[in-house]
Amino acid sequence: MINYTYIFHGTAFTSYSPEKVNILKNHLFFVNAEGLIEKIVSPEEEDYASLLTAHKEDANFRQLDEGQYFLPGFVDLHVHAPQWAQSGTALDLPLYDWLHTYTFPLEAKYADLSFAESVYEDLVSTLLANGTTTVLYFATVHKEASLLLAEICAKKGQRGLVGKVVMDDPEQNPLYYRDADTETALKDTEEFILAVQELAKDVKQGVYPVVTPRFIPSCSDEALKGLGDLAAKYDTHIQSHCSESDWAHQYVKDRLQKNDAFALNDFGLLGEKSVMAHCNFLDDNDAALFASTGTAISHCPLSNAYFANSVLPLKRFQAMGIDIGLGTDISAGATPSIYDNAKQAVVSSRMLEDGVSTALSAEERGVPDSRISIHEAFYLATAGGGESLSLPIGKIAENYSWDVQIIDTKAPAAKLPIFNSEEELDDIFQKILYLVRPENIKEVWVQGEKVHSR
Ligand code: GUN
Ligand code: FE
């Protein structure tokens, strides 16, 4: 007989396709020693009653209370960990000025490892408490502090994919905050990759090094090419910013006479394990290149409202076959919550579809077929994030990691407005997505381990 590490019993919400949520009502979930979901049994199955009877007195059996539900842990595809220290401030300038006025001076402080430790410890705990179980992080140019972030993820049980940021171009980056030179940038990146791969050997939930050119404007051609080579050599994930704002998009066209997507591809930086932030200005050729190379988009709707001068045409890109997930983009997005970004993704898409200028007629104002539902936003926050990273996460399904949030709709400090004991589960699901606060996130599990409770 197989010994399961845990057996859970309750109702789960999870998406296997973008349009609709699957409701696994009163199912049994068997979690094995690797933290994977080995078996899911529904009440319709023949052995359900006997399994329930056989296991319900086990020490490792866990029954959810009334009003509690399982959701997959969220995947955040874009976080600047050092920027947590300025989150909620510094939102008044356009991208280029914001970087040079606030962000580079702040990131430069992470040469100090004790400062880095205090911010990173707090950030990782905060993201877990918000239901985020996997994060794709930008750290800073500093190799040591970047490794420290990976170690903190490992210790706290979060699945962290961490990049030492490369910014080597002396024309574009200030003297006080850049790689010493191209050679050092590549050497530090290679050492960082090896150190994280070594660390990963003992980390159950996984920790991964990520090749991370900040964006084309901050890197020399030589560095970009060298980073593409390193990603191929070590088979790592890759992240950067791509065609984010009018300025960033135009800068690359002026320098390289092509769009970001084609430039990144020519440097060897697009592929199945690449995730590019924003991508608002991709044209149809760029988008087709993303689809054919398997490159994913991290959609950061709150950040885009401040810095991207535009709304991502998400439906159009999804229809072309591009994997898309959600990112907070801390601190350009001023919230640690993927719930907040899922809601904003819906709001932004509605404004894109309807348009905003009343100087135009209703027919001319918007972009038809742009809106997404909260169900589709939930897909992006979970399964879409998992697909973007090519990892078995983001779904409550067999052979996926047991990465879940246990939501308590009756938490005394944040009770959800559910007044009808017969309320449709789909309505409860929508209320959870729109109204949950950290107080409702009772427990968070990653790879079969409890990493947060309240
Ligand atoms: N482009 C280059 N760096 C950054 C950053 O830190 N945040 C955002 N939003 N865009 C960038
Ligand atoms: Fe960013």
Side-chain angles (χ1 to χ4, degrees):
M1 180 165 155
I2 303 166
N3 276 320
Y4 298 103
T5 318
Y6 291 102
I7 302 162
F8 294 87
H9 186 229
T11 297
F13 297 107
T14 184
S15 280
Y16 303 142
S17 65
E19 293 78 21
K20 89 179 224 304
V21 63
N22 294 69
I23 301 173
L24 312 182
K25 189 175 175 186
N26 291 329
H27 281 44
L28 282 163
F29 304 93
F30 294 83
V31 178
N32 69 21
E34 284 100 78
L36 297 173
I37 303 170
E38 181 135 337
K39 189 163 74 159
I40 299 180
V41 182
S42 78
E44 286 73 46
E45 285 175 68
E46 226 174 79
D47 53 353
Y48 177 80
S50 61
L51 283 169
L52 192 53
T53 311
H55 290 291
K56 71 177 184 215
E57 304 301 332
D58 290 359
N60 61 353
F61 182 85
R62 173 71 191 281
Q63 170 70 51
L64 286 195
D65 292 343
E66 210 197 312
Q68 296 184 349
Y69 301 92
F70 297 112
L71 250 58
F74 286 155
V75 180
D76 190 333
L77 288 181
H78 192 49
V79 173
H80 294 270
Q83 295 174 23
W84 177 231
Q86 70 180 11
S87 199
T89 67
L91 293 163
D92 56 326
L93 295 175
L95 182 60
Y96 180 90
D97 304 317
W98 174 82
L99 287 170
H100 288 266
T101 308
Y102 303 112
T103 303
F104 293 162
L106 170 62
E107 292 193 13
K109 291 188 187 166
Y110 289 76
D112 175 354
L113 282 177
S114 72
F115 177 62
E117 185 176 15
S118 62
V119 178
Y120 291 167
E121 289 268 352
D122 187 60
L123 173 63
V124 174
S125 297
T126 300
L127 292 171
L128 285 171
N130 279 277
T132 300
T133 48
T134 297
V135 185
L136 180 55
Y137 286 109
F138 278 59
T140 58
V141 295
H142 315 98
K143 184 180 66 177
E144 292 78 15
S146 303
L147 184 58
L148 180 64
L149 174 58
E151 288 165 352
I152 290 170
C153 293
K155 180 184 76 180
K156 289 187 181 281
Q158 188 176 62
R159 189 176 298 96
L161 298 95
V162 181
K164 173 224 141 9
V165 176
V166 169
M167 10 194 322
D168 69 316
D169 187 342
E171 301 271 298
Q172 284 294 318
N173 303 298
L175 180 60
Y176 66 83
Y177 187 53
R178 66 181 184 229
D179 294 289
D181 52 47
T182 307
E183 198 188 333
T184 310
L186 295 174
K187 183 167 161 289
D188 282 358
T189 299
E190 185 158 20
E191 287 170 5
F192 174 76
I193 292 169
L194 290 167
V196 176
Q197 288 184 340
E198 187 60 34
L199 171 68
K201 289 178 180 163
D202 299 320
V203 180
K204 185 180 179 191
Q205 77 277 14
V207 61
Y208 303 82
V210 184
V211 161
T212 307
R214 185 176 202 112
F215 61 162
I216 290 176
S218 56
C219 297
S220 66
D221 289 4
E222 197 188 344
L224 292 161
K225 174 77 178 64
L227 290 174
D229 293 345
L230 283 175
K233 179 172 175 188
Y234 294 104
D235 188 26
T236 68
H237 287 81
I238 301 170
Q239 62 182 342
S240 192
H241 298 85
C242 177
S243 294
E244 175 180 0
S245 66
D246 281 311
W247 167 74
H249 184 60
Q250 191 58 43
Y251 172 92
V252 176
K253 282 174 130 172
D254 292 343
R255 177 172 130 195
L256 298 170
Q257 289 75 53
K258 49 191 153 184
N259 285 352
D260 279 48
F262 280 85
L264 290 165
N265 193 46
D266 291 348
F267 291 122
L269 294 166
L270 298 191
E272 280 297 334
K273 290 167 86 173
S274 298
V275 180
M276 294 296 150
H278 308 292
C279 303
N280 293 46
F281 288 81
L282 299 190
D283 67 20
D284 281 349
N285 291 330
D286 300 332
L289 183 63
F290 265 54
S292 67
T293 55
T295 304
I297 295 175
S298 49
H299 176 36
C300 308
L302 253 172
S303 166
N304 286 346
Y306 287 87
F307 293 99
N309 320 114
S310 58
V311 174
L312 182 80
L314 179 117
K315 285 289 261 196
R316 180 155 69 88
F317 292 162
Q318 221 172 21
M320 292 176 76
I322 302 175
D323 290 336
I324 306 178
L326 290 180
T328 53
D329 196 14
I330 288 169
S331 66
T335 170
S337 171
I338 285 290
Y339 286 94
D340 290 345
N341 276 281
K343 287 179 271 190
Q344 184 64 42
V346 174
V347 171
S348 294
S349 76
R350 298 289 287 252
M351 296 180 85
L352 180 62
E353 179 162 302
D354 287 346
V356 293
S357 172
T358 50
L360 298 171
S361 74
E363 293 70 41
E364 295 169 296
R365 211 178 288 147
V367 181
D369 303 322
S370 293
R371 70 157 77 173
I372 63 165
S373 66
I374 196 69
H375 293 78
E376 288 169 286
F378 174 71
Y379 183 86
L380 300 175
T382 55
E387 283 159 12
S388 296
L389 293 171
S390 306
L391 292 173
I393 58 171
K395 295 179 192 172
I396 299 180
E398 288 175 358
N399 300 317
Y400 277 68
S401 298
W402 182 251
D403 291 4
V404 301
Q405 323 173 39
I406 298 179
I407 302 302
D408 185 2
T409 60
K410 295 175 185 280
K415 230 169 48 60
L416 299 194
I418 300 166
F419 300 104
N420 172 0
S421 60
E422 306 289 301
E423 181 142 2
E424 291 287 334
L425 284 168
D426 189 61
D427 288 342
I428 291 177
F429 166 74
Q430 293 177 56
K431 287 180 177 176
I432 287 173
L433 282 195
Y434 274 107
L435 298 172
V436 150
R437 290 194 266 134
E439 289 87 339
N440 301 103
I441 305 175
K442 192 173 169 55
E443 292 178 20
V444 178
W445 292 69
V446 180
Q447 202 79 33
E449 301 287 333
K450 184 158 56 174
V451 296
H452 168 79
S453 63
R454 60 184 302 143

